[in-house]
Amino acid sequence: EADIYQTPRYLVIGTGKKITLECSQTMGHDKMYWYQQDPGMELHLIHYSYGVNSTEKGDLSSESTVSRIRTEHFPLTLESARPSHTSQYLCASSALQGADEKLFFGSGTQLSVL
Amino acid sequence: SQKIEQNSEALNIQEGKTATLTCNYTNYSPAYLQWYRQDPGRGPVFLLLIRENEKEKRKERLKVTFDTTLKQSLFHITASQPADSATYLCALGTNDMRFGAGTRLTVKP
């Protein structure tokens, strides 16, 4: 069973608000990811990290930031939420094991921006 | 541009039949390919991994093939059951993990 947790599970906020989506894992995994997924659509990579103090940009990184101060914690921040940010946000982690990089996903945060 | 393409339409099959899902990719050179299952409102769950030097991998009722010349993977579920109904995603292992849009499978009793 994967031990990766995302909070909140659901979030409804107004336009212009700053929000932080939390993601924590207790598996000691080095690599962590954030993906955005709309219903029936593919997962879009937002940011990822190889470990503490490492952050890399994905395809949709321009409107958000991440930090990796601790191995277990990888929060995602939207400085000014817009209705176009309405989506599901999925966090994942994996152990760096060469060719056996299996991802473990959290249950996601469903964000609605009004 | 880089693309990962899966059966765009949903797949409906009868219980007991074999489901075959396709994953094609372009402009990638993945070291491995993975398949995940995703249920509504949940994160994907890892099922199988196949490396570039492997042709076929099996796990219980699941079978995956990987043809790096065709740039294609096939995912088979034999003796399908209604509980297999879900969306199945393929993912390519490069420096980061890239996913296809998935194929929604419905197994009817």
Side-chain angles (χ1 to χ4, degrees), chain A residues 60-114:
Chain A
L60 298 180
S61 60
S62 63
E63 300 178 6
S64 60
T65 58
V66 290
S67 62
R68 191 84 183 276
I69 299 172
R70 305 197 314 265
T71 297
E72 62 270 22
H73 195 213
F74 191 43
L76 175 74
T77 298
L78 296 175
E79 292 294 332
S80 179
R82 297 202 301 271
S84 61
H85 293 140
T86 295
S87 188
Q88 184 179 43
Y89 292 82
L90 291 164
C91 179
S93 72
S94 71
L96 283 176
Q97 296 176 346
D100 290 340
E101 188 176 335
K102 309 172 197 176
L103 268 62
F104 294 88
F105 282 85
S107 294
T109 293
Q110 181 61 51
L111 174 65
S112 296
V113 183
L114 306 177

Side-chain angles (χ1 to χ4, degrees), chain B residues 21-23 33 35 50 64-67 71-75:
Chain B
L21 285 65
T22 304
C23 176
L33 187 146
W35 284 88
I50 186 165
V64 174
T65 63
F66 192 14
D67 188 326
K71 298 187 182 297
Q72 180 182 78
S73 174
L74 298 178
F75 177 78

